[in-house]
Amino acid sequence: MDYLGDISIAHAKGGRRGKAVIPSETMRDQIDDLQRRVSKEIEEAGTLAELDEVRIKYLGKKGELTNLLKAVGSLPKEERPEFGAKVNSLREAIETGLREKSGYLDRKALDEKVRREVADVTLPGNLPEIGSLHPITKALREIVQIFYGMGFTVYESREAETDEMNFVKLNLAPGHPARDAQDTLYLTDTTLLRTHTSPGQIRGMLEMEGRLPVRFIVPGRVYRRDPFDASHSPVFHQVEGLVIDRHITFEDLKGCFLEFARGFFGPDTQIRLRPSYFPFTEPSAEIDVSCTICRGRGCQVCSRTGWLELSGAGMVHPRVIRNGGYDPEEVTGFAFGFGLDRAAMLKWGIDDLRVLFENDLRFLTQFEGL
Ligand code: PHE
């Protein structure tokens, strides 16, 4: 049992009996002892919480110093002033010690917080992410530049078309079997989402009102009742080309398309034409380009043929020329139409069409700065 216990008991007893029984020597020892302990405990308190425990232990309602003060009343009358003053100055010393220590702990906590939250102002800032052009947009811009170089303009036609423009004016009468391959979404009985950019030939010609030469490309979205897989999409893009003038020949088609293919896929690109059929061209051809992956040597992409099918083309059918407001006795022309998505895929070696529509940044950011 420590002195303090004695004091409490003594005080309690004294209080009840109203008798002073503590010898002044004991009191002095107790004050000295308390002073030693409290200053050590204040020093050792590492946190504000611990420091508060010390305060309560000594200065609280039932604290040791509080008890000492009460015990002063139990001393002989003549000794009370001396001890009262001692206890009070000890109290003040404790209060000062606590205040100083808590100030120190406060500063220490703040220092630590500042050190923990320090910002390295020399680190580079967070740059906002800057987008880049979609590969289809990039491809189209390159294509447009190449055709600008050959004197073409860009005619943007419409995506919602009439059956008349999309089919009939292009020699695809109702019931024509070639319509089956181009089923689409009908908006009304007579309007639909265009299945190809070819109706742009008619609209573009009509806008030219007979002036020559007619020389434009029609880039844009087209729609078909197709699945969505590695090589099909119900929405894709085409680039149509149309030239109408006097003395336009099949040679012009070949030369023009070769110029485009070399500009877009590279200067060593070859093209070849195979006979084909389209109701709106006569004669018609499929244009192949030498494989952009193996450069014509034969690989998986070109099924070891060295060639890739790219475009439909041909000499514009006389009836189509007439539907555009021109006289097929006076002028001739050629037209072609190819898939823009496919062209972009072949140019950059993309093997799945879907990545062009899924907006996955892991794919799209690969075209930054290209
Ligand atoms: N419109 C045809 C298609 O979508 C392509 C084409 C255009 C063929 C112009 C010949 C001339 O398949």
Side-chain angles (χ1 to χ4, degrees):
M1 180 171 286
D2 61 13
Y3 291 118
L4 198 81
D6 290 346
I7 292 172
S8 306
I9 292 160
H11 172 69
K13 284 180 183 159
R16 245 182 315 194
R17 297 181 189 164
K19 274 196 223 156
V21 287
I22 300 174
S24 54
E25 267 316 301
T26 309
M27 187 77 172
R28 218 183 301 280
D29 286 351
Q30 284 174 342
I31 289 173
D32 286 350
D33 173 63
L34 193 148
Q35 187 165 18
R36 253 193 319 279
R37 283 188 294 125
V38 76
S39 65
K40 187 160 171 265
E41 283 173 39
I42 287 175
E43 200 178 309
E44 284 171 357
T47 63
L48 287 169
E50 282 171 26
L51 194 66
D52 204 46
E53 276 170 30
V54 177
R55 186 186 59 76
I56 292 164
K57 179 174 171 191
Y58 292 97
L59 304 183
K61 247 201 216 120
K62 289 177 183 155
E64 292 188 25
L65 192 98
T66 315
N67 287 342
L68 262 188
L69 198 60
K70 288 176 190 162
V72 170
S74 318
L75 292 169
K77 199 168 180 175
E78 60 282 10
E79 290 183 350
R80 285 183 207 162
E82 185 199 336
F83 284 99
K86 268 199 160 73
V87 174
N88 270 326
S89 77
L90 178 54
R91 164 189 258 322
E92 271 165 35
I94 294 173
E95 279 171 351
T96 308
L98 287 171
R99 201 165 42 244
E100 280 172 4
K101 184 68 188 252
S102 96
Y104 165 78
L105 289 175
D106 270 342
R107 277 193 306 282
K108 202 174 105 181
L110 184 67
D111 278 355
E112 265 162 28
K113 191 169 140 80
V114 166
R115 208 171 313 124
R116 210 171 39 244
E117 295 175 0
V118 73
D120 182 351
V121 295
T122 66
L123 284 175
N126 295 328
L127 290 177
E129 283 198 55
I130 300 168
S132 60
L133 293 178
H134 191 280
I136 292 188
T137 306
K138 266 186 214 288
L140 179 57
R141 289 194 181 182
E142 279 188 36
I143 290 165
V144 166
Q145 283 307 314
I146 295 165
F147 281 104
Y148 277 169
M150 291 190 275
F152 282 69
T153 55
V154 173
Y155 176 67
E156 287 192 272
S157 196
R158 53 173 76 184
E159 291 175 31
E161 259 305 356
T162 59
D163 179 284
E164 182 78 7
M165 287 288 178
N166 195 78
F167 294 122
V168 181
K169 289 267 198 283
L170 293 167
N171 241 356
L172 283 131
H176 192 292
R179 281 183 173 219
D180 288 353
Q182 299 194 11
D183 196 10
T184 180
L185 191 73
Y186 279 74
L187 305 172
T188 68
D189 280 352
T190 54
T191 54
L192 45 83
L193 294 178
R194 68 178 175 193
T195 60
H196 51 175
T197 43
S198 298
Q201 289 186 31
I202 306 289
R203 291 195 182 275
M205 274 192 277
L206 290 173
E207 279 200 20
M208 287 292 288
E209 297 180 319
R211 291 187 302 274
L212 291 173
V214 174
R215 205 190 283 138
F216 58 77
I217 57 172
V218 188
R221 278 188 211 95
V222 299
Y223 302 82
R224 285 191 199 176
R225 193 174 171 280
D226 273 345
F228 189 43
D229 61 31
S231 55
H232 295 84
S233 166
V235 185
F236 59 104
H237 304 80
Q238 282 189 339
V239 178
E240 191 87 9
L242 178 70
V243 172
I244 304 281
D245 205 352
R246 292 188 183 90
H247 316 300
I248 296 294
T249 69
F250 210 88
E251 275 300 312
D252 296 312
L253 167 60
K254 273 182 80 175
C256 175
F257 207 90
L258 183 62
E259 176 74 8
F260 152 66
R262 294 194 165 162
F264 188 66
F265 294 113
D268 56 347
T269 307
Q270 306 284 329
I271 63 167
R272 78 173 180 186
L273 283 76
R274 289 178 289 114
S276 186
Y277 171 77
F278 296 101
F280 34 92
T281 47
E282 182 58 37
S284 301
E286 294 287 345
I287 305 180
D288 298 343
V289 295
S290 51
C291 181
T292 51
I293 309 299
C294 65
R295 296 278 147 205
R297 265 175 273 114
C299 69
Q300 247 177 323
V301 175
C302 59
S303 312
R304 321 230 163 262
T305 63
W307 296 98
L308 299 163
E309 188 179 317
L310 183 64
S311 184
M315 300 306 289
V316 183
H317 194 287
R319 224 172 285 160
V320 173
I321 292 183
R322 188 167 292 121
N323 289 340
Y326 288 81
D327 180 0
E329 297 296 325
E330 198 189 321
V331 296
T332 51
F334 68 79
F336 57 82
F338 63 87
L340 174 57
D341 322 81
R342 180 163 162 80
M345 286 169 74
L346 296 176
K347 182 180 173 77
W348 288 304
I350 299 163
D351 61 7
D352 193 319
L353 174 68
R354 286 168 289 198
V355 295
L356 292 172
F357 296 97
E358 283 167 348
N359 289 334
D360 187 331
L361 289 179
R362 288 170 302 181
F363 167 72
L364 295 177
T365 52
Q366 295 177 44
F367 293 85
E368 274 170 18
L370 214 93

